[in-house]
Amino acid sequence: MDQYSRMVSYLKVFLPLAALALLSTLFLISPGSDTEAVIPFADREIEERLRGQQVTAPFFSGSTAQGDEIWVTAEMASASADQPVIANALRAEIRMVAGGQITLTSDRGTVHPDQDLARFVGNVEITTTDGMVVETEVLKTQLSKVHAESPGAIRATGDLGDLTAGHMEISSETVGGPVHLLFTNSVKLVYAPQKLER
Amino acid sequence: QNVAFGAVKADPSLPVEVTSDNLAVNQADGSAEFTGSVLIVQGVMRLAGDRVLVIYKTDADGKRAIERLEATGNVILVSGPDAAEAQRAEYTIDSGTIVMSGNVLLNQSAGTLASQRMVVNLTTGTASMSGRVKTILNPSSGTSENN
């Protein structure tokens, strides 16, 4: 056997051994990884989450037969067996086919999909297309068509001036017609004409 | 036919107060209409009617303000001792003028005047009537008011 083939036979044995040694260092010398990563939840929060189903930042959107779009979002919504869905920091937007947009925000709200109803409770604010802001305590809106009603008194400010009324309803009289804000039960408006530039 | 109207010179920049049974604000074009025994009060001036439509104007900087109020349906205007009735009245707030039309009846202590159209200027306290003016004098008042 000449010198070359002897060298090859040695290498045939030596190289795999070297590879094996290199490979073993990978596992023996490497720093141990800590497996118990700390989950960032307090125990109380976990129990609270377990008690009822909870959805963070829920998003509900639907459109009416005429094509008006309704978006409802909230910070957190929780549902339990017997009660309807309770959500807080509720915000709804209605984009109307006939043009214009109404936004509603409130502190809390409940959504009753079975009765096709969402109730906004706690300083409800309604901003309409022409920039009028209506404040009330409770507002009930239908989910399947553009119809909302505030049983209690309302205060509104806008280009029209400051308005108070005992009852307000948002609806479109004719199907697909323009949406109207109907204020009833002793409407009172105070309009201060801007100071005329002399 | 010019006649004095209203005891005191009304100031058009006083706040205008509108009370009614209901109000409908149309979301598509933003028009607003008061219905159901509407009463507009500004200072001593009172304008009552069945329906009042609000007409807007947009200023240069895009801010909307009320240009005029159109009252229709047995309109009654009272200012100080004088009262006027008509079918329609248009009250332009900034200029303080009310244009009443449709068999206008103006009754004052001196007598009653009837005509088709009357323009009342609240700031100057004058009213000018036109279109078939008919004057009915109360002889008892003593002051004779001729055309």
Side-chain angles (χ1 to χ4, degrees):
Chain A
M1 276 231 285
D2 65 351
Q3 207 257 351
Y4 177 71
S5 54
R6 198 176 308 116
M7 194 262 288
V8 165
S9 63
Y10 276 151
L11 280 182
K12 261 196 304 190
V13 170
F14 173 69
L15 278 182
L17 282 179
L20 208 61
L22 263 176
L23 204 57
S24 62
T25 59
L26 184 63
F27 298 105
L28 291 180
I29 304 167
S30 71
S33 63
D34 52 353
T35 48
E36 326 79 17
V38 175
I39 307 165
F41 270 106
D43 297 346
R44 191 182 50 73
E45 254 184 17
I46 296 175
E47 275 122 26
E48 197 187 283
R49 288 284 165 113
L50 288 180
R51 211 163 345 98
Q53 299 124 344
Q54 204 161 352
V55 177
T56 44
F59 176 86
F60 164 89
S61 73
S63 69
T64 63
Q66 295 86 24
D68 311 314
E69 289 144 13
I70 301 179
W71 274 276
V72 182
T73 58
E75 233 171 55
M76 196 265 297
S78 62
S80 37
D82 45 4
Q83 291 157 333
V85 174
I86 301 164
N88 57 16
L90 215 58
R91 185 185 146 74
E93 247 178 67
I94 304 172
R95 278 218 172 76
M96 285 160 283
V97 170
Q101 177 193 341
I102 299 180
T103 13
L104 298 93
T105 55
S106 80
D107 289 356
R108 296 179 311 287
T110 54
V111 183
H112 314 257
D114 46 355
Q115 303 155 14
D116 177 27
L117 169 73
R119 265 170 63 91
F120 291 79
V121 177
N123 52 55
V124 183
E125 242 184 57
I126 302 133
T127 323
T128 65
T129 340
D130 51 8
M132 177 192 277
V133 176
V134 182
E135 284 149 24
T136 177
E137 270 322 295
V138 174
L139 185 83
K140 294 190 288 190
T141 58
Q142 282 197 334
L143 301 173
S144 62
K145 66 183 168 69
V146 179
H147 182 269
E149 196 188 342
S150 96
I154 60 109
R155 290 173 313 286
T157 52
D159 298 341
L160 208 52
D162 305 333
L163 179 70
T164 56
H167 172 83
M168 184 196 77
E169 204 180 313
I170 305 175
S171 71
S172 51
E173 278 120 22
T174 58
V175 177
V179 174
H180 283 256
L181 255 67
L182 302 169
F183 299 96
T184 49
N185 179 350
S186 78
V187 175
K188 178 161 179 281
L189 168 87
V190 176
Y191 167 73
Q194 286 83 357
K195 291 293 152 278
L196 306 179
E197 311 85 32
R198 283 277 172 265
Chain B
Q1 165 80 33
N2 276 2
V3 163
F5 185 87
V8 75
K9 306 243 176 322
D11 161 13
S13 68
L14 279 177
V16 177
E17 199 187 284
V18 184
T19 50
S20 74
D21 287 350
N22 24 50
L23 158 69
V25 179
N26 183 329
Q27 281 308 287
D29 57 12
S31 68
E33 192 177 30
F34 293 89
T35 48
S37 67
V38 186
L39 176 64
I40 302 173
V41 174
Q42 182 180 33
V44 291
M45 188 275 292
R46 269 159 187 59
L47 181 61
D50 289 351
R51 304 161 67 92
V52 167
L53 186 65
V54 179
I55 313 286
Y56 284 109
K57 67 175 190 307
T58 341
D59 308 0
D61 48 23
K63 192 174 170 326
R64 286 194 328 166
I66 297 186
E67 188 198 344
R68 66 179 191 283
L69 300 168
E70 271 172 17
T72 46
N74 49 56
V75 175
I76 298 165
L77 166 66
V78 173
S79 172
D82 306 324
E85 283 166 42
Q87 271 158 5
R88 267 176 60 80
E90 269 180 36
Y91 173 34
T92 313
I93 297 182
D94 293 342
S95 60
T97 55
I98 303 178
V99 174
M100 302 187 83
S101 49
N103 44 48
V104 182
L105 197 65
L106 166 63
N107 28 42
Q108 297 177 323
S109 46
T112 46
L113 291 97
S115 81
Q116 277 316 315
R117 191 168 181 280
M118 178 171 85
V119 177
V120 175
N121 188 325
L122 295 171
T123 44
T124 58
T126 60
S128 72
M129 307 187 75
S130 53
R132 303 250 9 86
V133 180
K134 198 162 56 107
T135 317
I136 305 141
L137 299 179
N138 322 0
S140 62
S141 73
T143 58
S144 72
E145 184 106 28
N146 37 36
N147 300 26

